[in-house]
Amino acid sequence: MKVKVAINGYGTIGKRVATAVNQQDDMEIVGVSKTRPTYEARDAVRQGYPLYVPEGAVQAFADAGIQVAGTVDDMIAAADIIVDCTPGNLSEEYKAKYAAAGKKAIWQGGEDHSLTGISFNAAANYKESWGAQFSRVVSCNTTGLLRTLFGIDREFGVRNAYVTIIRRSADPNDSKTGPINAIEPSVKLPTHHGPDVQSIMPWLSISTMAVKVPTTLMHVHTVVAELKEAPTTEQVKEVLRRSPRVRLVSSRDGIKSTAQAMDLARELGRTRGDMFEIVVWEDGIKMVGNTLYYYQAVNQESDVIPENIDCIRSMCKLEEDPAASIAKTDRAMGI
Ligand code: NAD
């Protein structure tokens, strides 16, 4: 029997989770929800997903000629687990609905850890969500930091990590936000990214700053980490090569920026041109004494998608071994 998954909020993250669920053999989509009759709603129907809408929006969808399967409450009733991909500020309202219906639910990184008390990253803490009713897949940036720092910390011990996050200002389908010709520092310091990493690795000493820049493709992190040991640069590269969902690239190969990193994803034939892995510049990794330096890039729209699949597997007790779940997800998604 396949686990029945509903996607509440069919936007940037929601539509990607829907595609990834569809690619797995142990889970299926029972519905996706949309609040307004947009091109994305029409596309959900075209793809064959049962489309559910809030009670008050049924008429607007009928007027737009988009056939709906029922209300969001109907969708919740039909699911074993809801992947909540709604924007912020709706979490308490929906949490009450999921709890009343006795359903499991996963939220995304826009929500606080306190909403669920459990946060998820497949490589770092798969088992913490085992059988849980509620969990949260951490944000794109936090997922990126965990993917690389978890393995490095396990092998060599991280005494202190100092990270600057160069943030994309908007997603590619967004024409509302900016900046479009400025660089905007986050002045509330340290930024929330460090504590978010600690929701999964509470022992890690990590400090973060962030600046927003006019680009839509990816975030870039500059990482400086003092290690407890002093491995060689090659030993660090080897750990990163073995870390799940981390892709080493080289500027000597022509991948000099996020532009070529995303072009590589398109050339690999990925759905929507997504780069699910964290891209680390192999020739930009350097050990000096016990200080490690590296750069990595995060495709904000897609790195968290395979994590959502593994989180479903852990919460629904479909696979006990984290490595087996990661491998199964990646195989199905072509990672
Ligand atoms: P989005 O705006 O692209 O999509 C949100 C969707 O929720 C839209 O389809 C909208 O129609 C729907 N929605 C709005 N109100 C609703 C309601 N009352 N009930 C049901 N659905 C409703 O947002 P997104 O970028 O996909 O972000 C979703 C979550 O994922 C947020 O927590 C965000 O922080 C997180 N996240 C976003 C990114 C990113 O870069 N876009 C990366 C990682 C995590």
Side-chain angles (χ1 to χ4, degrees):
M1 265 263 285
K2 294 184 179 186
V3 165
K4 295 178 167 46
V5 183
I7 312 289
N8 196 16
Y10 190 75
T12 302
I13 299 298
K15 58 189 171 190
R16 287 173 167 80
V17 174
T19 301
V21 167
N22 236 353
Q23 290 168 327
Q24 315 298 318
D25 63 13
D26 52 355
M27 52 190 82
E28 63 183 336
I29 295 286
V30 292
V32 305
S33 81
K34 205 68 201 142
T35 46
R36 286 178 298 122
T38 60
Y39 72 97
E40 286 170 309
R42 283 185 207 285
D43 197 56
V45 173
R46 182 190 65 81
Q47 297 211 45
Y49 300 133
L51 179 67
Y52 293 86
V53 304
E55 185 101 52
V58 172
Q59 192 56 48
F61 278 76
D63 293 347
I66 301 176
Q67 200 177 355
V68 304
T71 65
V72 174
D73 289 342
D74 297 334
M75 179 181 81
I76 294 168
D80 298 320
I81 184 165
I82 297 103
V83 184
D84 189 304
C85 304
T86 59
N89 301 327
L90 299 167
S91 51
E92 290 300 342
E93 176 191 332
Y94 275 121
K95 186 179 179 183
K97 274 186 191 281
Y98 306 148
K103 304 294 174 161
K104 292 178 187 282
I106 298 173
W107 281 268
Q108 308 302 313
E111 309 299 338
D112 290 338
H113 174 74
S114 57
L115 177 71
T116 53
I118 308 176
S119 292
F120 183 86
N121 173 267
N125 76 340
Y126 182 91
K127 289 191 173 158
E128 267 186 56
S129 293
W130 186 253
Q133 185 179 8
F134 298 138
S135 188
R136 174 187 78 121
V137 170
V138 291
S139 75
C140 50
N141 280 310
T142 306
T143 296
L145 291 168
L146 288 161
R147 289 241 184 102
T148 51
L149 285 173
F150 182 74
I152 291 166
D153 180 60
R154 193 174 44 191
E155 291 292 327
F156 311 117
V158 173
R159 202 183 301 282
N160 282 304
Y162 305 97
V163 179
T164 299
I165 297 173
I166 301 153
R167 295 173 55 203
R168 64 90 178 95
S169 53
D171 286 339
N173 69 350
D174 179 4
S175 54
K176 287 199 300 277
T177 54
I180 56 169
N181 183 25
I183 298 174
E184 190 178 296
S186 297
V187 292
K188 206 167 152 226
L189 292 170
T191 60
H192 69 275
H193 306 94
D196 209 36
V197 170
Q198 288 164 336
S199 72
I200 290 188
M201 294 175 68
W203 62 88
L204 188 76
S205 169
I206 176 168
S207 309
T208 52
M209 300 177 79
V211 292
K212 208 157 39 146
V213 298
T215 184
T216 64
L217 299 175
M218 300 179 103
H219 306 292
V220 167
H221 301 165
T222 70
V223 183
V224 180
E226 287 167 16
L227 305 185
K228 292 177 184 160
E229 295 175 22
T232 63
T233 299
E234 193 44 48
Q235 284 173 314
V236 173
K237 287 183 187 176
E238 199 41 47
V239 168
L240 290 174
R241 260 183 222 116
R242 287 199 315 263
S243 297
R245 300 171 184 155
V246 172
R247 177 180 282 266
L248 294 192
V249 300
S250 166
S251 65
R252 284 190 294 270
D253 257 6
I255 301 187
K256 293 186 183 297
S257 74
T258 54
Q260 295 86 32
M262 291 309 292
D263 193 46
L264 174 62
R266 290 190 290 272
E267 290 306 312
L268 291 170
R270 295 284 175 77
T271 48
R272 301 183 177 89
D274 285 341
M275 178 57 84
F276 302 108
E277 304 96 316
I278 303 308
V279 170
V280 181
W281 275 272
E282 180 167 8
D283 43 356
I285 302 171
K286 175 97 177 164
M287 280 299 307
V288 179
N290 69 341
T291 303
L292 167 65
Y293 301 83
Y294 63 97
Y295 299 100
Q296 63 179 24
V298 173
N299 179 210
Q300 74 281 351
E301 297 176 285
S302 74
D303 69 325
V304 299
I305 306 306
E307 305 296 324
N308 274 274
I309 300 300
D310 293 324
C311 192
I312 293 170
R313 267 203 202 101
S314 178
M315 291 170 71
C316 296
K317 299 186 173 180
L318 294 175
E319 170 57 65
E320 214 162 334
D321 176 15
S325 178
I326 290 171
K328 185 175 169 70
T329 302
D330 288 2
R331 227 175 11 253
M333 291 180 68
I335 297 177

